Amino acid sequence: KEFDLRAEAQAMRVASDLLVEWDEPYHRWQVAMVRIVEQRGQQIPHEARALLQMAMERTRTWKVAIPEAVDGYVEEHFLVMTWAGGDSLHQLTSSPE
């Protein structure tokens, strides 16, 4: 079933369901990271500290989501996904970002 996109669509639905409670732990992790940077900031080189603070600020409002298969548009050899932005499943799962 490696190339059965109906099975892949079901796996995407399961993965999405697993993320339902992810936002709160992610937010707690971010708060903890900011606290660590504030407490140990002098141990981190200035340039790295500035980059870390910018990255934390930039990602503060991020949410975690998985593209989901769109009902009615899933067949064995194709599927349409939400949040895909026109990218294929391969592109989404293998891109560095």
Side-chain angles (χ1 to χ4, degrees):
K1 291 196 171 198
E2 182 177 350
F3 297 104
D4 181 355
L5 293 183
R6 288 182 187 131
E8 191 65 34
Q10 182 58 29
M12 291 167 71
R13 288 183 186 104
V14 169
S16 183
D17 289 345
L18 292 173
L19 289 177
V20 168
E21 298 179 11
W22 177 254
D23 288 339
E24 182 58 30
Y26 181 60
H27 175 70
R28 286 195 308 261
W29 175 83
Q30 287 178 315
V31 169
M33 287 300 296
V34 168
R35 192 173 308 127
I36 288 170
V37 171
E38 289 171 351
Q39 291 173 351
R40 301 181 186 167
Q42 299 308 317
Q43 298 171 357
I44 302 170
H46 175 71
E47 296 81 6
R49 187 171 61 241
L51 288 173
L52 180 58
Q53 288 170 329
M54 286 177 12
M56 293 301 294
E57 181 59 30
R58 179 175 166 215
T59 61
R60 186 175 50 84
T61 60
W62 283 10
K63 300 249 186 247
V64 177
I66 291 177
E68 294 183 33
V70 178
D71 291 334
Y73 295 96
V74 177
E75 294 296 331
E76 183 176 354
H77 299 291
F78 78 88
L79 63 84
V80 173
M81 299 178 287
T82 61
W83 302 102
D87 290 334
S88 71
L89 187 60
H90 173 74
Q91 288 169 312
L92 291 170
T93 58
S94 62
S95 68
E97 289 185 26

